[in-house]
């Protein structure tokens, strides 16, 4: 199993050939899920006492299991937040797998961590954070939000300003993972209403904060703002939020998991003003920065504040902990880790940052054109001007069941993977455009399929 013998050589050729073919697909087909029953009836057990051989295992994956998934890098994937890795980043993921570098600490992963840090520093500089800002790459925005909030609580405890159960101020539009992080941390959430533009603002934070008891104010240690809400693409009013945080000496965590790429474009950059004063920031390169899953950056303005929260103590770690502040394990809840920032780094180094600026600008332009197309169709109604690259719109006269039936049909016909959402209490359609190969024609075919004449509603 561990020798690179003739069999391993043939297996390597087959695996690399598949990877080659998969990356050459333009575009890859959309695919779709199958039920657990259907999947269990395909082959029965794959894992047996004697093994089925790599040819058979690979065949089963390529022909069946991999096809029972939705291809998140298809340009027709417009639900949730798509994944749109560059060819360079996907290819380098193979290199990372073959290299088996442990990125937990500097002793093990120095060279790889050094270049991961270069990619983190670039993200920090886009946000205008201080020169010493840094952190690590984690599995996703959810893990990043948890890390930022744990670091914030640790800092409050260190300063002696938190002796009680903690609490945070969060808008109703924050990502669901913020609520989950609070649950995991066993802290409370004080929900703050968004304004008429769906933004969290300093004024609303002040108002909510003033209604709290003295004790509740005392145990509040952080504010979570969103720069690119998942549901709407809205960027909170960060300048007024950060002013409030500084006045009340609260940690500001900015969740830019999806929206962070908007920092790259002149058109969207002003929305992010104030982000440079965040204490912690999350950006997911596996979303709008064209890295493969799973890759999210958690960046601290002052990394030393975080390192005390996460560094693990054990006699067998004493030696590597001499370099505690260089160890990625000091900056989030993990120890062993894949150097998952490297595919992102390789692609950035290969193509240069201007290519990223251009690709993000292109998706913003397609979004703006799609908004015009929605406005031009009387059976559709745009819910808001897009802030970034999310479109929220209604199909006049449709209810929940119409949306569901139509989204299912769209996937069966391989026209698009889309999902409805709720905006201001109303069921609507939501599209998220981050793949530069998503064309306006693809989007128009989706809008056209909602037209009354071609609608095949079963009601
Ligand atoms: C996607 C998203 C998350 C969660 O990120 P994962 O990578 O899926 O864990 C958090 N916050 C926002 C704003 C997001 O869009």
């Amino acid at each position: 199993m561990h020798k690179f013998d003739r069999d391993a050589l043939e297996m390597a050729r087959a695996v690399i050939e598949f990877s080659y073919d998969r990356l050459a697909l333009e575009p890859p087909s959309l695919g779709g899920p199958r039920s657990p029953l259907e999947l269990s009836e395909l082959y029965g057990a794959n894992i047996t006492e004697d093994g089925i051989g790599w040819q058979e295992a690979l065949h089963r994956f390529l022909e069946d299991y991999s096809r029972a998934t939705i291809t998140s890098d298809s340009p027709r994937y417009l639900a949730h937040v798509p994944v749109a890795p560059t060819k360079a980043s996907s290819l380098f993921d193979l290199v990372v797998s073959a290299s088996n570098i442990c990125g937990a600490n500097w002793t093990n992963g120095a060279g790889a961590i050094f270049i991961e840090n270069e990619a983190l520093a670039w993200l920090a500089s886009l946000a205008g954070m201080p020169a010493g800002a840094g952190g690590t790459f984690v599995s996703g925005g959810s893990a990043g939000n948890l890390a930022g909030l744990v670091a914030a609580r640790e800092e409050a405890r260190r300063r002696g300003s938190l002796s009680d159960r903690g609490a945070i101020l969060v808008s109703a539009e924050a990502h669901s993972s913020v609520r989950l992080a609070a649950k995991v941390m066993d802290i409370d959430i004080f929900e703050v209403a968004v304004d008429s533009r769906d933004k969290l603002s300093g004024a609303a934070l002040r108002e909510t904060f003033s209604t709290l008891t003295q004790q509740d104010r005392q145990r509040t240690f952080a504010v979570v703002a969103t720069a690119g809400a998942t549901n709407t693409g809205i960027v909170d009013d960060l300048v007024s939020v950060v002013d409030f945080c500084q006045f009340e000496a609260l940690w500001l965590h900015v969740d830019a998991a999806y929206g962070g790429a908007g920092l790259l474009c002149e058109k969207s950059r002003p929305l992010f003003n104030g982000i440079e004063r965040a204490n912690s920031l999350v950006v997911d390169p596996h979303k709008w920065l064209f890295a493969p899953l799973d890759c999210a950056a958690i960046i601290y303005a002052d990394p030393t504040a975080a390192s005390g929260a996460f560094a693990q103590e054990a006699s067998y770690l004493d030696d590597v902990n001499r370099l505690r502040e260089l160890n990625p394990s000091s900056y989030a809840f993990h120890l062993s880790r894949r150097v998952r920032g490297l595919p992102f780094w390789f692609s950035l180094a290969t193509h240069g940052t201007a290519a990223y600026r251009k690709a993000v600008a292109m998706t913003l332009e397609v979004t703006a054109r799609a908004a015009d197309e929605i406005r031009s169709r009387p059976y559709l109604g745009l819910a808001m001007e897009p802030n970034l690259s999310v479109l929220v719109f209604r199909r006049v006269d449709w209810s929940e069941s119409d949306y569901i039936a139509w989204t299912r049909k769209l996937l069966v016909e391989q026209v698009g993977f889309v999902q409805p959402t709720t905006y201001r209490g109303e069921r609507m359609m939501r599209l998220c455009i981050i793949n530069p190969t998503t064309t306006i024609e693809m989007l128009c075919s989706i809008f056209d399929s909602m037209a009354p004449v071609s609608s095949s509603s079963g009601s």
Side-chain angles (χ1 to χ4, degrees), residues 12-24 85-101 292-293 338-340 342-344 346:
R13 289 211 171 106
V15 166
I16 288 167
E17 189 180 16
F18 161 74
S19 305
Y20 184 101
D21 290 346
R22 171 62 178 81
L23 287 167
T86 62
K87 301 300 175 192
S89 65
S90 288
L91 283 164
F92 206 74
D93 214 26
L94 299 178
V95 175
V96 172
S97 289
S99 305
N100 282 305
I101 297 159
L293 292 165
R338 177 182 178 81
V339 280
R340 56 166 63 83
L342 291 196
F344 175 52
F346 179 73

Side-chain angles (χ1 to χ4, degrees), residues 59-215:
H59 173 83
R60 292 180 187 185
F61 175 74
L62 299 186
E63 293 306 313
D64 288 293
Y65 300 118
S66 72
R67 293 186 184 179
T69 62
I70 299 185
T71 307
S72 45
D73 57 327
S74 159
R76 296 181 180 279
Y77 188 118
L78 300 158
H80 314 300
V81 182
V83 183
T86 62
K87 301 300 175 192
S89 65
S90 288
L91 283 164
F92 206 74
D93 214 26
L94 299 178
V95 175
V96 172
S97 289
S99 305
N100 282 305
I101 297 159
C102 177
N105 53 62
W106 191 261
T107 310
N108 278 275
I113 295 163
F114 180 80
I115 52 180
E116 276 192 307
N117 288 346
E118 190 182 3
L120 286 171
W122 178 66
L123 291 173
S125 73
L126 280 182
M129 291 171 90
T136 184
F137 287 104
V138 292
S139 63
S142 305
N145 285 335
L146 176 64
L149 289 172
V150 168
R153 181 171 63 183
E154 187 75 7
E155 174 69 3
R157 284 182 177 154
R158 200 186 56 76
R159 285 199 324 237
S161 58
L162 179 68
S163 50
D164 211 342
R165 175 189 169 93
I168 55 176
L169 288 159
V170 177
S171 102
E173 299 299 320
H175 189 266
S176 49
S177 60
V178 174
R179 250 158 264 280
L180 178 61
K183 186 172 141 190
V184 170
M185 292 168 71
D186 198 25
I187 59 174
D188 292 314
I189 284 183
F190 297 126
E191 196 170 291
V192 183
V194 291
D195 63 17
S196 59
R197 306 161 302 163
D198 300 306
K199 291 173 188 269
L200 178 70
S201 69
L205 282 163
R206 234 180 346 266
E207 196 180 315
T208 302
F209 201 57
S210 70
T211 64
L212 300 180
T213 64
Q214 173 65 23
Q215 194 204 0

Side-chain angles (χ1 to χ4, degrees), residues 373-417:
E373 293 288 343
I374 292 169
R375 268 187 288 263
S376 74
R377 286 166 170 75
Y379 54 90
L380 301 179
L382 198 60
M384 74 186 80
E385 283 306 313
N387 253 223
L388 295 173
S389 68
V390 174
L391 291 164
V392 182
F393 58 101
R394 70 174 61 77
R395 162 64 164 79
V396 178
D397 296 335
W398 270 12
S399 65
E400 169 77 2
S401 57
D402 297 309
Y403 283 112
I404 295 291
W406 171 75
T407 59
R408 300 237 164 106
K409 182 164 168 280
L410 220 57
L411 183 60
V412 168
E413 292 172 354
Q414 299 281 290
V415 175
F417 178 52

